[in-house]
């Protein structure tokens, strides 16, 4: 049998000599056999409850801004795929995602002339007018700093849980590594009655908030800011959709394709989706944070993974049904052959085709040749 629920881990247990072995055992199971977990008691390293309240408040204030203010920082104005995306303007698994969002990241300058094209994934943010939302940038940058610290500590624990030294991935990171985050608003189905898609000729009857996909990053951390249940779902290895419960002050943690690639498939990047919130439930606010690695990384996968861990991977893979993992086309990183930024960049091209058409039209043509809707 594949997993039927999402494990819950208490980060306090990782720093107590008596409870750490059990914590690492639970973490190992989550990394290998689920790909998702819920994390609690992280406030001493990551964001406090007050900081979670602050990022929720700023999210709600941002999405309540007049369209003319949000559209001034629309992603199409950024060659770095940062900024605002209007409702129903992104594509996942061949359908429209019925959500609006703003993509943000660690503040970095644009890449220098002559650097590889995929380096344009990194660059400066597009910030909303400070007069309209004065505390937005401060709260967001503080949240990025806190989540960067938490994700760094948690990365070491993940490696320890699968029998690796904490520094095993250090060469995949660079100083001032850019992490990414989103503020996302999923309107409930009642408010989408007359909505039209910007990206495709489909409608909210698909029920898709965001379609089935795997994340491209190392590890994702999601703060489910509003009290919506049964929206985020994970597909287990027999094809069943498992709801991720929304428990106050718990972060959702999930593996990305990059982590799967550099751990020889040990840490599984699991397919997940978000359904349009139920009628009358209001807008769902979600704040995912994406821990990334150096875009130039093209090192081979970690080689010294213990044999007992590799056997657990093999046992899991025997339970995976081929039909259960079908989804929309995604580029998968292969760090043994090309820099990880290559796959990340092409996935952004695919998802945000309006941005790509403006800034990278020739690459968009190449990407479109590799898959079809």
């Amino acid at each position: 049998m594949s997993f039927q629920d999402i494990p819950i881990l208490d980060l306090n247990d990782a720093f107590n000599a008596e409870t750490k072995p059990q914590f690492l055992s639970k973490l190992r199971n989550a990394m290998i056999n689920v790909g998702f977990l819920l994390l609690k008691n992280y406030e001493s390293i990551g964001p406090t409850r007050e900081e979670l309240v602050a990022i929720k408040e700023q999210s709600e204030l941002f999405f309540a801004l007049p369209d003319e203010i949000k559209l001034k920082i629309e992603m199409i104005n950024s060659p770095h795929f940062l900024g605002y995306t209007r409702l129903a303007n992104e594509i996942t698994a061949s359908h429209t995602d019925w959500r609006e969002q703003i993509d943000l990241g660690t503040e970095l300058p644009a890449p220098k002339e002559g650097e590889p094209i995929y380096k344009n994934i990194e660059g400066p943010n597009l910030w909303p007018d400070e007069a309209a939302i004065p505390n937005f940038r401060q709260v967001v940058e503080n949240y990025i700093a806190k989540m960067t610290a938490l994700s760094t500590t948690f990365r070491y624990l993940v490696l320890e849980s699968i029998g690796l030294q904490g520094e095993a991935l250090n060469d995949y990171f660079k100083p001032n590594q850019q992490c990414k985050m989103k503020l996302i608003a999923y309107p409930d189905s009642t408010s989408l009655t007359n909505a039209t898609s910007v990206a495709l000729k489909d409608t909210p009857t698909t029920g898709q908030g965001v379609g089935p996909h795997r994340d491209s990053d190392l590890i994702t951390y999601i703060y489910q800011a509003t009290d919506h249940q049964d929206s985020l779902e994970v597909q287990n290895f027999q094809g069943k959709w498992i709801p991720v419960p929304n428990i106050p002050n718990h972060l959702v943690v999930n593996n990305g394709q990059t982590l799967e690639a550099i751990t020889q498939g040990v840490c599984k990047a699991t397919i997940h989706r978000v359904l349009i919130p139920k009628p009358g439930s209001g807008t769902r606010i979600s704040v995912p944070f994406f821990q990334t690695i150096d875009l130039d990384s093209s090192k081979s996968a970690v080689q010294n993974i213990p044999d007992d861990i590799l056997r657990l991977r093999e046992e899991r893979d025997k339970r995976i049904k081929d039909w259960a993992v079908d989804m929309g086309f995604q580029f998968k990183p292969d760090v043994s052959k090309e820099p990880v930024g290559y796959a990340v960049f092409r996935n952004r091209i695919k998802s945000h085709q309006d941005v790509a058409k403006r800034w990278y039209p020739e690459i968009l043509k190449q990407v479109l040749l590799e898959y079809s809707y």
Side-chain angles (χ1 to χ4, degrees):
M1 289 292 293
S2 185
F3 64 91
Q4 302 297 313
D5 52 29
I6 308 301
I8 299 175
L9 275 71
D10 186 335
L11 191 57
N12 283 341
D13 291 342
F15 306 109
N16 181 311
E18 293 183 359
T19 57
K20 186 174 182 179
Q22 183 181 12
F23 174 88
L24 291 176
S25 177
K26 292 176 67 175
L27 180 57
R28 181 184 309 114
N29 176 65
M31 290 290 108
I32 297 175
N33 294 316
V34 185
F36 267 73
L37 62 92
L38 290 164
L39 186 67
K40 65 180 181 178
N41 291 329
Y42 48 80
E43 293 87 348
S44 63
I45 302 170
T48 64
R49 295 187 181 187
E50 291 76 16
E51 288 165 332
L52 293 178
V53 169
I55 198 70
K56 175 186 177 182
E57 289 178 346
Q58 293 303 309
S59 300
E60 292 173 335
L61 288 170
F62 175 79
F63 291 117
L65 290 173
D67 286 345
E68 58 265 27
I69 293 177
K70 291 185 287 187
L71 292 176
K72 285 181 180 179
I73 58 166
E74 194 168 17
M75 187 184 285
I76 199 169
N77 298 313
S78 169
H80 314 296
F81 296 89
L82 295 167
Y84 172 68
T85 300
R86 66 182 74 188
L87 179 70
N89 196 38
E90 188 176 8
I91 302 164
T92 306
S94 305
H95 290 291
T96 298
D97 295 329
W98 294 91
R99 61 180 184 173
E100 63 174 321
Q101 62 192 344
I102 179 170
D103 284 71
L104 302 148
T106 310
E107 188 70 19
L108 291 179
K112 297 177 182 178
E113 186 175 352
E115 293 198 76
I117 191 71
Y118 61 76
K119 295 293 285 290
N120 280 290
I121 286 290
E122 297 180 344
N125 290 293
L126 297 181
W127 296 104
D129 184 357
E130 187 175 0
I133 186 166
N135 296 321
F136 183 83
R137 180 168 181 171
Q138 177 184 356
V139 170
V140 167
E141 292 191 325
N142 178 68
Y143 190 80
I144 289 174
K146 287 297 189 74
M147 288 304 305
T148 299
L150 174 61
S151 63
T152 299
T153 296
F154 198 76
R155 165 166 57 94
Y156 293 137
L157 292 169
V158 167
L159 293 173
E160 187 175 359
S161 77
I162 60 171
L164 296 173
Q165 297 296 317
E167 64 271 14
L169 298 186
N170 283 1
D171 288 345
Y172 291 89
F173 291 82
K174 64 180 181 179
N176 200 25
Q177 180 74 40
Q178 186 177 59
C179 294
K180 300 291 182 68
M181 66 174 291
K182 296 176 184 276
L183 308 178
I184 308 175
Y186 296 92
D188 73 33
S189 56
T190 304
S191 60
L192 292 174
T193 302
N194 297 314
T196 56
S197 173
V198 179
L200 295 170
K201 294 181 180 179
D202 59 3
T203 70
T205 57
T206 60
Q208 176 167 305
V210 61
H213 68 284
R214 297 183 180 93
D215 291 345
S216 294
D217 61 326
L218 192 79
I219 303 177
T220 302
Y221 300 78
I222 307 169
Y223 169 43
Q224 300 189 87
T226 49
D227 186 23
H228 286 79
Q229 300 292 342
D230 301 332
S231 288
L232 176 60
E233 296 183 334
V234 183
Q235 190 182 54
N236 74 10
F237 305 137
Q238 273 66 52
K240 179 180 178 182
W241 288 102
I242 308 299
V244 179
N246 188 351
I247 306 174
N249 304 311
H250 287 55
L251 294 176
V252 180
V253 182
N254 66 274
N255 299 336
Q257 288 182 308
T258 299
L259 182 63
E260 180 174 326
I262 61 182
T263 60
Q264 299 186 47
V266 167
C267 296
K268 189 67 174 175
T270 319
I271 297 171
H272 53 287
R273 68 182 181 185
V274 176
L275 304 179
I276 293 173
K278 296 177 180 178
S281 63
T283 296
R284 176 180 182 264
I285 299 294
S286 178
V287 184
F289 174 89
F290 306 97
Q291 184 184 32
T292 62
I293 67 172
D294 185 357
L295 293 171
D296 287 328
S297 291
S298 56
K299 305 169 183 63
S300 61
V302 177
Q303 298 300 311
N304 56 340
I305 299 174
D307 289 342
D308 60 327
I309 299 296
L310 295 177
R311 282 193 293 271
L312 291 174
R313 178 198 64 187
E314 293 165 3
E315 291 170 6
R316 176 205 65 207
D317 289 348
K318 291 176 183 176
R319 300 194 300 269
I320 296 177
K321 303 290 186 181
D322 291 340
W323 58 266
V325 295
D326 288 341
M327 62 173 186
F329 179 85
Q330 281 184 275
F331 294 99
K332 296 180 180 180
D334 186 347
V335 292
S336 66
K337 295 181 179 179
E338 61 192 17
V340 67
Y342 189 63
V344 175
F345 183 67
R346 287 183 293 171
N347 279 325
R348 297 298 274 172
I349 292 282
K350 179 182 71 70
S351 295
H352 294 279
Q353 295 181 20
D354 57 336
V355 181
K357 186 176 181 179
R358 176 174 180 179
W359 297 100
Y360 311 105
E362 294 305 314
I363 299 175
L364 175 62
K365 291 177 183 178
Q366 296 170 15
V367 167
L368 291 176
L369 288 175
E370 297 189 51
Y371 80 105
S372 60
Y373 287 120

